[in-house]
Amino acid sequence: MSVSSETPPGPLTETNQWIDSHYRGDMEDPSITTIPGAARSSELFDQVVNLCKRRGFVFPSAEIYGGIRSTYDYGPLGTLMLRNVKDAWWRAMVQERDDVVALDAAILTNPKVWEASGHLATFTDPLVDCRNCKERWRQDQIGDTCPNCGSKDLTDARPFNLMFKTFVGPIEDDSNVAYLRPETAQGMFVNFANVMGSMRLKPPFGIAQQGRSFRNEITPGNFVFRTREFEQMELEFFVPPKDAPKWHEYWCNERLNWYRRFGISESLLRLRVHEKEELSHYSAGTSDVEFAFPWGWGELEGIANRTDFDLKAHAAHSGEKLEYFDQATGERYVPYVIEPAAGATRTMMAFLISAYDEDEVGGEKRTVLRLHPHLAPYQVAVLPLSKKETLTPLTKEVLGILKTSFMCEYDDTQSIGRRYRRQDEIGTPLCVTVDFDSLEDGAVTVRDRDTTEQQRIAISDLVGEIAGYLAQPFSDPRTSRN
Ligand code: ATP
């Protein structure tokens, strides 16, 4: 099969300028530890960011107005992929379990929630202004020197609350203040009694939730790694206090395995246990799942033993009893909470970086996203071999059969080689090609993204064959190559 090359639209310098102005942001994020001797370069970062824009994964928000710093819109492919990342989490955390239930709490809620949780008092970063160049920084990131102009003439640090404040109703006074939630977790704590009662649950059980969170980050950056608006995937798992250490260990393993299962290689993942001094005020132990980003290790997910801090705090502030009581045995306790808290948008970026690969097919270089088939924006591309009208009806018929089961893209532009390459670049695991023989034998060619091998399959068997392929565990060919 001949495969021809594709050139990205626009001159490279233009693309690089675009990356610099829109994506790089602040590369000096203190939560990132550099990986000594890491082979993964900033070139990889540029390639992934470039691909995201070029192929419709992520765009700067409102780009026609010059964007707004570190805010992004998810394009057609990014929307599909982000949804797949969240679905993969949801399947593992809710659907495949019998001890976790779902919740979708409001983003704007009673501000007393944030008083009880401690967010009003303690969800702050120390902020300083440079008197010379007027730039604003997080003091814990810069020490005593402005990174922009080198001046040491900085204001005293003042706490800056990361919650976005707004007003509910037409009157902008203190009694109408509300906050955009900075995490989804509190929605689960305040609904603890409602959920446990309505679902007749007994610890150990969990409440899972996904959704937007908002933090007025002082130094957002590194593409979608740190943004002011992002998506979280959080589980609050309520357990008898004595069992908390055991469940903490259990969830650390489960979550690490989830990233492996969806294709991130062992060498790019690690679990980092927080030192005592680093622990949040509510935590008896936290471990982060970290990913080797091109600039260093960065957190994908924090798994904390939050003790009974949250339920006790909300019980004290609300006056409601938030505890488990077993009428039969008289047993009564405030459960401890194990919280695996992941970022969906940040995790999607990790999957993209980890999947990015370049290899050679038929002597030509190609870019290929080796995404887990469940995470790829499209599972199947349906392609007529040529634009000849005789092929269109059968190709559309095949599309009609497949699209009720799988996310498909139909493409009849350019040469077949170019279309395969286009699909490789966006990670589509299977291409189904309808050719002139198909009109005679009722079969199509199915091409595998990773091996580029092609198989002839009867149209009547396609749905079953593809479903069987998608049900298999994923193995990245780069792992077996090493
Ligand atoms: P970080 O140390 O990176 O600021 P955090 O410890 O404050 O993160 P958590 O409050 O534990 O983060 O939130 C859980 C997850 O939500 C994080 O592991 C991350 O994946 C995601 N997350 C947090 N803040 C952001 C952000 N500003 N942009 C994108 N994702 C975020």
Side-chain angles (χ1 to χ4, degrees):
M1 177 188 48
S2 80
V3 181
S4 52
S5 61
E6 258 181 290
T7 31
L12 199 61
T13 46
E14 217 173 76
T15 311
N16 287 344
Q17 278 163 8
W18 183 89
I19 291 171
D20 280 341
S21 62
H22 290 285
Y23 282 124
R24 207 172 300 274
D26 185 351
M27 300 287 279
E28 293 167 20
D29 190 317
S31 68
I32 294 163
T33 340
T34 312
I35 309 164
R40 325 197 77 235
S41 63
S42 78
E43 196 187 329
L44 173 63
F45 176 76
D46 292 353
Q47 284 160 331
V48 170
V49 167
N50 193 335
L51 189 145
C52 279
K53 162 87 199 265
R54 197 156 38 84
R55 305 311 305 271
F57 282 83
V58 181
F59 305 127
S61 184
E63 194 183 5
I64 59 167
Y65 290 107
I68 166 166
R69 194 176 167 217
S70 291
T71 304
Y72 300 95
D73 295 337
Y74 287 75
L77 300 197
T79 305
L80 293 175
M81 181 170 171
L82 185 59
R83 184 176 284 251
N84 290 342
V85 169
K86 291 191 293 178
D87 282 352
W89 184 93
W90 195 259
R91 270 198 304 279
M93 304 297 274
V94 183
Q95 187 178 323
E96 292 171 9
R97 304 189 64 94
D98 54 13
D99 54 2
V100 175
V101 295
L103 188 77
D104 196 351
I107 290 176
L108 288 175
T109 187
N110 191 317
K112 285 184 183 153
V113 170
W114 310 114
E115 207 180 298
S117 67
H119 281 85
L120 270 174
T122 61
F123 195 55
T124 55
D125 280 337
L127 190 71
V128 292
D129 289 318
C130 171
R131 290 197 181 92
N132 184 40
C133 71
K134 314 291 180 221
E135 280 286 330
R136 185 161 284 175
W137 304 98
R138 263 173 66 172
Q139 189 198 37
D140 55 331
Q141 288 183 346
I142 66 161
D144 63 356
T145 311
C146 171
N148 188 39
C149 68
S151 167
K152 289 188 185 297
D153 192 7
L154 308 176
T155 60
D156 287 341
R158 60 187 187 284
F160 170 73
N161 196 291
L162 297 179
M163 284 198 293
F164 281 98
K165 202 176 189 175
T166 186
F167 299 92
V168 173
I171 299 166
E172 296 194 2
D173 68 15
D174 284 353
S175 61
N176 292 322
V177 164
Y179 300 90
L180 300 190
R181 69 178 174 203
E183 61 177 31
T184 64
Q186 298 303 322
M188 297 182 267
F189 299 131
V190 298
N191 279 293
F192 168 78
N194 277 341
V195 171
M196 188 170 63
S198 60
M199 301 301 288
R200 290 167 292 122
L201 298 168
K202 174 182 171 150
F205 74 88
I207 308 179
Q209 181 172 213
Q210 299 181 331
R212 297 255 163 175
S213 293
F214 303 82
R215 296 182 189 179
N216 201 358
E217 300 274 6
I218 299 163
T219 48
N222 283 332
F223 193 32
V224 297
F225 179 82
R226 187 179 301 286
T227 49
R228 297 199 169 101
E229 176 179 347
F230 54 98
E231 288 219 49
Q232 289 191 308
M233 314 185 281
E234 298 195 290
L235 172 72
E236 306 306 328
F237 200 74
F238 300 92
V239 301
K242 65 175 177 8
D243 297 339
K246 183 184 84 183
W247 280 108
H248 187 228
E249 197 184 328
Y250 168 86
W251 279 112
C252 287
N253 291 329
E254 278 293 296
R255 294 304 305 146
L256 204 52
N257 282 335
W258 182 83
Y259 293 95
R260 292 179 183 132
R261 172 176 157 193
F262 284 94
I264 299 187
S265 84
E266 207 65 51
S267 61
L268 301 181
L269 280 176
R270 73 173 187 188
L271 193 69
R272 188 180 66 80
V273 180
H274 282 211
E275 302 291 342
K276 268 225 153 54
E277 320 66 77
E278 198 189 340
L279 288 176
S280 313
H281 58 283
Y282 52 74
S283 175
T286 299
S287 294
D288 288 346
V289 176
E290 293 188 335
F291 175 76
F293 284 96
W295 57 85
W297 290 104
E299 173 185 331
L300 293 180
E301 167 160 0
I303 303 152
N305 174 355
R306 296 182 71 118
T307 68
D308 53 9
F309 174 84
D310 305 275
L311 290 182
K312 281 194 167 156
H314 285 298
H317 280 76
S318 67
E320 297 289 326
K321 270 206 171 86
L322 298 178
E323 58 186 22
Y324 171 71
F325 174 59
D326 188 327
Q327 275 181 335
T329 62
E331 189 186 21
R332 184 190 291 277
Y333 60 85
V334 178
Y336 269 35
V337 175
I338 308 301
E339 176 194 70
T345 36
R346 197 182 275 188
T347 295
M348 171 176 148
M349 182 180 175
F351 280 125
L352 283 169
I353 291 170
S354 146
Y356 188 93
D357 192 18
E358 289 172 354
D359 69 357
E360 273 194 12
V361 172
E364 283 198 51
K365 216 172 112 180
R366 72 164 175 166
T367 298
V368 52
L369 281 188
R370 300 196 187 278
L371 289 171
H372 187 292
H374 295 183
L375 301 183
Y378 300 113
Q379 279 65 59
V380 187
V382 181
L383 318 167
L385 183 66
S386 85
K387 248 186 155 162
K388 287 243 161 57
E389 276 172 18
T390 40
L391 291 183
T392 312
L394 184 61
T395 316
K396 287 270 160 108
E397 197 183 315
V398 171
L399 176 69
I401 293 169
L402 295 181
K403 75 181 179 191
T404 54
S405 303
F406 314 107
M407 191 69 214
C408 299
E409 188 183 41
Y410 181 86
D411 184 8
D412 64 1
T413 59
Q414 302 179 310
S415 73
I416 190 69
R418 279 188 178 218
R419 281 180 281 154
Y420 283 154
R421 297 278 298 272
R422 212 179 148 264
Q423 295 300 331
D424 290 341
E425 205 186 14
I426 61 172
T428 309
L430 297 175
C431 288
V432 168
T433 304
V434 175
D435 56 26
F436 295 99
D437 290 343
S438 308
L439 301 172
E440 307 300 325
D441 65 3
V444 288
T445 299
V446 179
R447 172 189 180 270
D448 181 297
R449 171 195 75 199
D450 293 323
T451 61
T452 71
E453 273 164 20
Q454 305 195 0
Q455 247 185 299
R456 199 78 186 157
I457 295 179
I459 294 171
S460 54
D461 295 340
L462 260 187
V463 170
E465 288 283 337
I466 295 175
Y469 163 85
L470 291 174
Q472 285 168 19
F474 174 63
S475 105
D476 187 327
R478 289 172 296 180
T479 320
S480 40
R481 275 206 312 252
N482 291 338

